Structures are given as structure tokens and as C-alpha cells.
Amino acid sequence: AQTVTQSQPEMSVQEAETVTLSCTYDTSESDYYLFWYKQPPSRQMILVIRQEAYKQQNATENRFSVNFQKAAKSFSLKISDSQLGDAAMYFCAYRGNKLVFGAGTILRVKS
Amino acid sequence: NAGVMQNPRHLVRRRGQEARLRCSPMKGHSHVYWYRQLPEEGLKFMVYLQKENIIDESGMPKERFSAEFPKEGPSILRIQQVVRGDSAAYFCASSPLAGFAGEQYFGPGTRLTVT
């Protein structure tokens, strides 16, 4: 069974600084997708960024980028120029024959 | 194009009562997935349905929980004789593609509180 591990229960970052959230996963599948979702206090799940496993190039979406290391099964999220609105719970997720979520990392942004 | 809709957003039930959670998928989506989020945890898959069929219920508790997605109307997640441990946020997602191949679009969730 696939598993997703987020080893940082909570992270803090100063406004305008950069922060990296860690995620590792375990799978025997070769074709899959990886995602980062943001869950603000409203609890709505918002897709931040996705990465196809067959693509070597790391995905980027504006201030959000990933460091995808397929051999190491690592998928970290970097948030540049952090803003107060980035404060939320962030979930790493794996999609193969199921959609599996990590336990989440709470990100706090200090002004 | 309206997104995935869930109602109610908040539901309070006393122990032993029944809870019915509704999910209307995005227009054109015929695949619905239910997830449960316990406090301080990530979302856990419960069940995957297509119109009138349960495709994968490997994440559903064996007792008291059931789901349906009728030909007409929303998908329903039903919890009978609720207990305090059922208190959680329940999310529905829909997809235009079968299985887990397509993008899943999430609803806002229903927060169930059992008193």
C-alpha cells in the first residue's frame, strides 16, 4: 500500500521569507502523480501544485515550486516570498490507484 | 460551472441518531469519492462511486456506514447510529474520469459533530 509521510507537524516562516515543507512517499508503482493541497481555516481543499512522476522537470506555480526526487521518493514544496494568506494546513498527496494524503503540516506566517 | 457542492456544511447529531451527508458533483462528472478527515489528520479515502454503482468501498467502516449515488440526485453518505468517534469532516470529490486517473475536485466538506 502507498504511504505518504509529512515529518513536520508545524512550520513557521517570516513574511517575505522562503519556507520548504517536506514530504516522502512509498510506492511500488511507476506511474503516479503527486500533489500539494492547501487547507485554510475554511477547510476547503485547494490544489496548490501537481507533479507527474514521469516528468523530470520540477513543477512551478508562481511562488510555489517543488523539488521532486523520484529515486529518493521525496516531494518537497517551496514557498517563496511568503504571504500572510499562505498560512494554512498543507497536505502532500499521492495518486496512483488511490489518492493518499499525508497527515499535514501547519504553516504559520509571522508578520 | 458550479463546483462540487456539499450540504449541510455543519451537522450536529446526538449519539444514536442518523447522519445524512449530500454531495452534488460538478456538472459532467459521474465519479464521486468520499473522504473522512479526523481531527489533526489527513483525508482518508472511504468510497468511490459511479452512477448507481459502488466501485470501491475498501475504506468504508464495515458497519453503520453506507453510500449511494443514484441515477438522479446527489450522492449520499449515510451514517447510522452515530457515535462520538464519527465526529469528523467529510469531504466529497468528483472527477470526469474513471478510477483515480483524473483530477479530483473537492467540495467544501461537511463537519459532523456528535454530542
Side-chain angles (χ1 to χ4, degrees):
Chain A
Q2 296 82 22
T3 58
V4 177
T5 302
Q6 293 179 249
S7 58
Q8 306 153 316
E10 191 170 323
M11 293 284 284
S12 290
V13 63
Q14 199 70 35
E15 202 175 0
E17 299 283 302
T18 296
V19 65
T20 298
L21 308 184
S22 302
C23 173
T24 58
Y25 59 95
D26 190 24
T27 183
S28 56
E29 296 175 325
S30 57
D31 188 19
Y32 52 88
Y33 287 74
L34 295 162
F35 304 87
W36 279 96
Y37 284 90
K38 172 184 178 182
Q39 187 180 47
S42 68
R43 287 190 164 265
Q44 175 74 54
M45 294 292 285
I46 301 166
L47 178 62
V48 174
I49 198 165
R50 73 167 65 80
Q51 173 82 41
E52 294 94 332
Y54 64 86
K55 286 189 178 178
Q56 292 188 339
Q57 187 172 6
N58 289 324
T60 62
E61 287 287 342
N62 302 312
R63 297 182 295 108
F64 299 86
S65 61
V66 298
N67 183 4
F68 174 45
Q69 303 287 329
K70 190 171 183 179
K73 295 180 182 169
S74 169
F75 182 61
S76 60
L77 174 70
K78 184 170 88 171
I79 307 174
S80 305
D81 186 24
S82 297
Q83 300 174 359
L84 293 176
D86 295 334
M89 178 78 93
Y90 285 81
F91 291 100
C92 177
Y94 166 100
R95 192 182 84 208
N97 64 2
K98 286 279 195 304
L99 184 57
V100 180
F101 288 84
T105 297
I106 297 171
L107 178 65
R108 304 193 193 280
V109 181
K110 303 175 193 174
S111 59
Chain B
N1 188 7
V4 178
M5 300 177 70
Q6 290 187 249
N7 67 80
R9 293 293 308 277
H10 301 275
L11 182 61
V12 180
R13 285 286 177 266
R14 282 198 286 269
R15 278 179 299 169
Q17 291 185 318
E18 178 179 288
R20 279 182 177 244
L21 288 61
R22 294 175 188 77
C23 169
S24 296
M26 286 181 72
K27 188 176 181 181
H29 290 191
S30 56
H31 306 273
V32 165
Y33 311 79
W34 285 94
Y35 295 83
R36 178 165 65 175
Q37 184 181 25
L38 294 170
E40 312 300 324
E41 293 187 13
L43 279 69
K44 297 273 176 25
F45 168 77
M46 298 180 74
V47 62
Y48 160 41
L49 309 104
Q50 291 179 23
K51 285 282 187 182
E52 301 185 276
N53 287 302
I54 297 174
I55 305 302
D56 182 345
E57 55 182 349
S58 57
M60 285 275 270
K62 294 285 184 273
E63 297 177 352
R64 302 186 297 108
F65 285 72
S66 62
E68 62 178 16
F69 189 15
K71 188 176 180 181
E72 301 291 337
S75 175
I76 307 284
L77 179 67
R78 183 181 176 208
I79 311 172
Q80 295 178 289
Q81 299 174 336
V82 295
V83 301
R84 288 225 171 96
D86 296 333
S87 295
Y90 291 83
F91 288 89
C92 165
S94 74
S95 175
L97 298 179
F100 289 82
E103 199 67 57
Q104 292 187 21
Y105 298 83
F106 283 86
T110 293
R111 184 179 290 190
L112 172 65
T113 302
V114 179
T115 62

